[in-house]
Amino acid sequence: MALWKSKLPNVGTTIFTEMSAKAHEFGALNMSQGFPDFNPPRALREMVYQAMMDGHNQYAPMPGNLKLREWIATDVKRRTQHECSPISEITIGAGASSLIFAAIQTLVHSGDEVIVLAPCYDLYEPAVRLAGGGLRVVPLKQDDFHLDLDALGKALSRKTRLIIVNIPNNPTGATWTMDELDDLAALLSDSNALILSDEVYGPMHYDRKPALSILHQHELRERSIVTASFGKILHATGWKIGYLIAPMHWTQEIRKVHQYDVFSTGAPFQEGIARFLASSDGETHLEGLAGFYQEKRDRLLAGLTGSSWSFTPAEAGYFQVLDYSSFDDRDDREVTHNWCAQSKGQGIALIPLSPFYPATDAEQKKPRQVRVCFAKNDTTLDEGIERLLQVPQMK
Ligand code: PMP
Ligand code: GLN
């Protein structure tokens, strides 16, 4: 064992697993890991059940259920006007995670550089490291978590293979504007860098903000790989069905990894989802999604308005960042553990922001911020507000 060297020496258990386990251990209200505490629509559950009863129980095709890929292509065209082929440009995998991972292993060679915009989702860094790539961390703007174009321009080099963006961002809830997408296109016009755009919370945009995808920017389409997840938009994170859209050449390469990694996933889920999305129930569900989550965000923020928490309302997604610097100076990991372990099951589990800042050459960030998941029933949200208002004031 002494000669054996870990490939990921600095990686422990993810903060999401850690905080959900702590919530369970202390009987705390769990608003940490990102999942709803309500079920997917009944019609969808029935259609998945029916798909099983109809015999969709063996391997789905390696690229995914064709009906579902056709729905994705139609949806992409409707949302962005981009035409993509369900045959050669769409692949279904075990959640967006498996495809993000496959894409990074496929595209990044040893010595390539990958740019991430921090704070960012925790999966990117270890995937880049396993591929032998080097990470360049570009901070998002401090005030609104939007793109810092100058900083990105400075980090860009001939070695840059991939830029990973997350529209909208987990944890910050910030999204992109069309001007920012245009700026990115202009910045990259002479570069060979590809873009991996992680869009798992895609349609959930609030206050009438357009639900932009990287595919809305025509010049970026050729160099962009997009990932998305049915887990988020159908309230079914446990089903782990996600998809990837990429130009044919990149799809062919990414499928070489996907076919030996995940290969094929959840046949009855794929079939049931395809049936649901083609139905009027599916249409109604998607049409109502942004409004449904906006109400939840607003309920949470109304409950905290006037308190010692400070925040900028999330523009999209299902997370809200809350700042506690006005009443506590302690480190974000320490406070989240402390608040989770409050006596007699009165605690609340939240996610500290620091795990979203990759260690590599980033400034040592000491956020006094936590992330709360508002994909919860109103009773959970109300209980969450109560507990957030009761955390100890240390100043
Ligand atoms: N990207 C982001 C930004 C996420 O928040 C998550 C987790 N929900 C994923 C990817 C992974 O999605 P999935 O559960 O479909 O693998
Ligand atoms: N994406 C989810 C979150 O941000 C967690 C998924 C996971 O636990 N890996 O909370």
Side-chain angles (χ1 to χ4, degrees):
M1 283 308 269
L3 290 177
W4 186 83
K5 233 171 87 190
S6 169
K7 287 192 174 179
L8 297 171
N10 301 320
V11 170
T13 307
T14 75
I15 192 67
F16 314 114
T17 300
E18 183 185 329
M19 291 313 297
S20 272
K22 281 246 170 288
H24 186 71
E25 180 186 345
F26 291 103
L29 192 72
N30 191 359
M31 298 182 82
S32 62
Q33 194 174 26
F35 60 85
D37 68 349
F38 40 85
N39 272 317
R42 171 175 282 278
L44 170 59
R45 285 178 280 150
E46 284 170 355
M47 286 180 198
V48 168
Y49 172 73
Q50 196 54 50
M52 275 183 205
M53 299 313 282
D54 292 347
H56 289 269
N57 298 305
Q58 312 310 330
Y59 294 133
M62 178 274 278
N65 177 301
L66 184 57
K67 261 194 294 185
L68 187 52
R69 283 184 284 146
E70 284 169 348
W71 180 87
I72 294 166
T74 309
D75 180 59
V76 168
K77 170 87 172 127
R78 181 183 55 77
R79 288 188 293 114
T80 70
Q81 309 307 316
H82 176 54
E83 305 246 9
C84 58
S85 159
I87 307 296
S88 56
E89 296 181 310
I90 296 175
T91 307
I92 294 170
S97 315
S98 77
L99 295 159
I100 293 169
F101 202 83
I104 292 172
Q105 301 318 306
T106 305
L107 302 173
V108 178
H109 286 258
S110 173
D112 286 346
E113 274 188 9
V114 177
I115 295 179
V116 295
L117 309 177
C120 62
Y121 190 50
D122 69 338
L123 159 66
Y124 311 143
E125 177 174 15
V128 170
R129 298 242 170 272
L130 286 176
L135 204 72
R136 286 293 296 258
V137 182
V138 173
L140 290 161
K141 284 193 212 145
Q142 285 285 323
D143 51 348
D144 62 2
F145 294 119
H146 275 247
L147 175 68
D148 183 339
L149 191 69
D150 288 343
L152 179 59
K154 284 187 189 125
L156 198 64
S157 78
R158 301 232 315 271
K159 285 206 223 153
T160 310
R161 183 67 185 137
L162 192 64
I163 300 170
I164 304 180
V165 301
N166 182 202
I167 309 176
N169 177 284
N170 175 6
T172 69
T175 188
W176 285 51
T177 63
M178 199 61 217
D179 283 348
E180 288 167 334
L181 291 179
D182 291 343
D183 287 346
L184 181 63
L187 182 71
L188 296 184
S189 59
D190 292 330
S191 156
N192 290 323
L194 298 173
I195 298 170
L196 175 58
S197 184
D198 179 3
E199 301 183 2
V200 299
Y201 303 95
M204 304 169 193
H205 277 66
Y206 313 130
D207 307 318
R208 299 215 177 81
K209 295 216 161 64
L212 288 181
S213 160
I214 203 94
L215 297 174
H216 279 96
Q217 216 300 336
H218 295 226
E219 290 154 44
L220 293 177
R221 288 174 180 171
E222 269 303 293
R223 62 169 88 229
S224 292
I225 289 110
V226 175
T227 53
S229 176
F230 289 113
K232 304 296 163 182
I233 66 174
L234 299 178
H235 316 321
T237 60
W239 293 2
K240 293 294 288 182
I241 307 289
Y243 59 92
L244 177 142
I245 304 162
M248 183 164 79
H249 173 71
W250 299 120
T251 296
Q252 275 170 358
E253 289 299 312
I254 293 166
R255 283 183 186 171
K256 289 181 188 175
V257 175
H258 164 74
Q259 72 179 346
Y260 288 125
D261 170 11
V262 165
F263 161 50
S264 161
T265 182
F269 293 109
Q270 292 194 39
E271 175 64 22
I273 291 172
R275 292 180 189 182
F276 175 72
L277 292 171
S279 73
S280 58
D281 284 325
E283 263 174 50
T284 310
H285 172 83
L286 287 187
E287 274 167 22
L289 195 63
F292 173 80
Y293 276 116
Q294 182 171 330
E295 273 180 28
K296 297 201 174 294
R297 181 206 62 174
D298 290 348
R299 190 178 187 103
L300 173 69
L301 296 186
L304 298 178
T305 299
S307 74
S308 47
W309 290 97
S310 59
F311 50 81
T312 303
E315 296 177 289
Y318 57 38
F319 302 114
Q320 175 65 49
V321 170
L322 299 176
D323 186 305
Y324 60 86
S325 56
S326 76
F327 60 87
D328 203 326
D329 279 333
R330 287 174 300 165
D331 165 275
D332 59 342
R333 278 185 184 265
E334 187 185 342
V335 289
T336 46
H337 281 108
N338 186 271
W339 295 336
C340 182
Q342 298 284 306
S343 58
K344 298 195 208 87
Q346 287 311 296
I348 180 163
L350 305 165
I351 299 286
L353 258 266
S354 47
F356 296 93
Y357 290 93
T360 335
D361 73 17
E363 244 180 86
Q364 259 319 87
K365 285 280 178 327
K366 297 205 184 316
R368 295 293 178 258
Q369 288 166 324
V370 291
R371 188 197 80 176
V372 54
C373 174
F374 56 79
K376 303 294 169 196
N377 277 309
D378 289 350
T379 45
T380 311
L381 286 174
D382 293 347
E383 184 60 38
I385 292 164
E386 282 296 300
R387 294 185 188 204
L388 286 166
L389 294 177
Q390 279 163 17
V391 300
Q393 307 285 302
M394 305 295 279
K395 283 188 176 174

